Amino acid sequence: MRQAVREQIHTKAPKRILMRMLACLFLITTPAHASTNLDVSDATFNEAVRAVKDKNYQHAVRLFTLQAEADQHDAQYNLALLIKAGKGTPQNFQKALSWSWAASLGGIEAAVELAEELADMIPEKIVEEARETVAARLRQRIENGDKQAVPQLAAYHLNILEEEDYGQAYIWYAIAAAIGIDGSIAARDEAMDNVDDEEIIELQREAGTIFEGLSFD
């Protein structure tokens, strides 16, 4: 399993990490034959972890940043930890909050607590800017055809906003359900249960309009 930059790592890893467990263990003891794409390879992640252990924090930040920007959520969490601690890069609580929220939306449970801690450390105006950064990144991913960003944007409206927006959550879970994302139908129906009946038809129309403008592989 991918290692973390501190002991208190999440115990329930996303499926993507679990499926890579054996490959990661193999990479520790043998030459890497992972993807040549440094942004997503396990070899890059393991090198970043080794850099942390060697206290080469600048190198770790560079590598985790590559992976974080490629939407590797465990790397986003580790990058947030380093930024919060000011190791390898000057402290920036706003940036750390944005990455921790991105990681939490990607299923990294420990990132939820980290985000709560960071949000308590900065003014609400800065927290809101961090929220906007996360939302903008999700929308860009969706425009680029990333299906997995769709349910994450839905969850953003329930878990990241100061107040839940069940209407927007319904719209994006409805789109996620339409493109076959696992778990989205139940999430869509749960969001619908929290929306007034007179609003649902308009929300469905909005979801349909948005859907028609999207393109996924």
Side-chain angles (χ1 to χ4, degrees):
M1 183 180 295
R2 286 187 171 195
Q3 302 172 62
V5 300
R6 69 174 185 182
E7 291 293 333
Q8 297 84 352
I9 189 63
H10 51 285
T11 57
K12 185 179 180 182
K15 183 178 180 181
R16 179 179 64 81
I17 304 173
L18 291 173
M19 290 180 67
R20 291 184 177 182
M21 182 183 298
L22 293 178
C24 291
L25 292 173
F26 181 78
L27 286 167
I28 292 172
T29 57
T30 63
H33 296 287
S35 166
T36 56
N37 184 348
L38 294 179
D39 293 354
V40 298
S41 75
D42 288 324
T44 300
F45 186 96
N46 290 335
E47 182 180 345
V49 171
R50 286 193 295 272
V52 171
K53 291 180 178 179
D54 294 339
K55 298 185 179 181
N56 188 357
Y57 297 118
Q58 285 183 275
H59 187 50
V61 167
R62 284 193 293 269
L63 295 178
F64 280 137
T65 298
L66 277 174
Q67 294 211 320
E69 291 178 348
D71 306 307
Q72 304 296 290
H73 301 299
D74 42 6
Q76 290 172 341
Y77 172 67
N78 285 345
L79 179 60
L81 288 174
L82 289 171
I83 296 173
K84 176 180 180 290
K87 293 182 176 181
T89 187
Q91 281 185 319
N92 187 322
F93 296 151
Q94 179 180 354
K95 186 180 292 186
L97 178 57
S98 294
W99 284 126
S100 62
W101 268 334
S104 71
L105 291 170
I108 307 300
E109 294 181 0
V112 176
E113 181 180 351
L114 178 61
E116 291 173 352
E117 182 181 347
L118 286 160
D120 287 340
M121 297 169 65
I122 56 181
E124 179 55 35
K125 178 182 178 181
I126 305 302
V127 173
E128 184 58 33
E129 290 177 2
R131 288 191 183 101
E132 292 173 1
T133 297
V134 175
R137 183 172 187 83
L138 288 168
R139 293 190 184 99
Q140 186 60 58
R141 287 173 59 194
I142 291 170
E143 289 181 10
N144 292 340
D146 185 348
K147 292 182 178 181
Q148 296 305 317
V150 176
Q152 291 180 25
L153 184 56
Y156 166 90
H157 288 94
L158 299 180
N159 301 326
I160 307 301
L161 292 183
E162 186 173 8
E163 295 185 8
E164 297 94 337
D165 187 335
Y166 285 100
Q168 285 297 310
Y170 171 80
I171 287 171
W172 290 103
Y173 276 132
I175 293 172
I179 60 177
I181 301 296
D182 289 345
S184 295
I185 291 176
R188 177 201 64 193
D189 294 346
E190 183 175 349
M192 184 170 63
D193 288 341
N194 288 276
V195 174
D196 292 338
D197 291 343
E198 57 268 24
E199 295 181 40
I200 197 65
I201 296 303
E202 185 58 37
L203 292 172
Q204 290 175 348
R205 288 172 177 167
E206 185 175 349
T209 299
I210 294 172
F211 183 76
E212 290 175 1
L214 299 176
S215 177
F216 299 104
D217 295 334

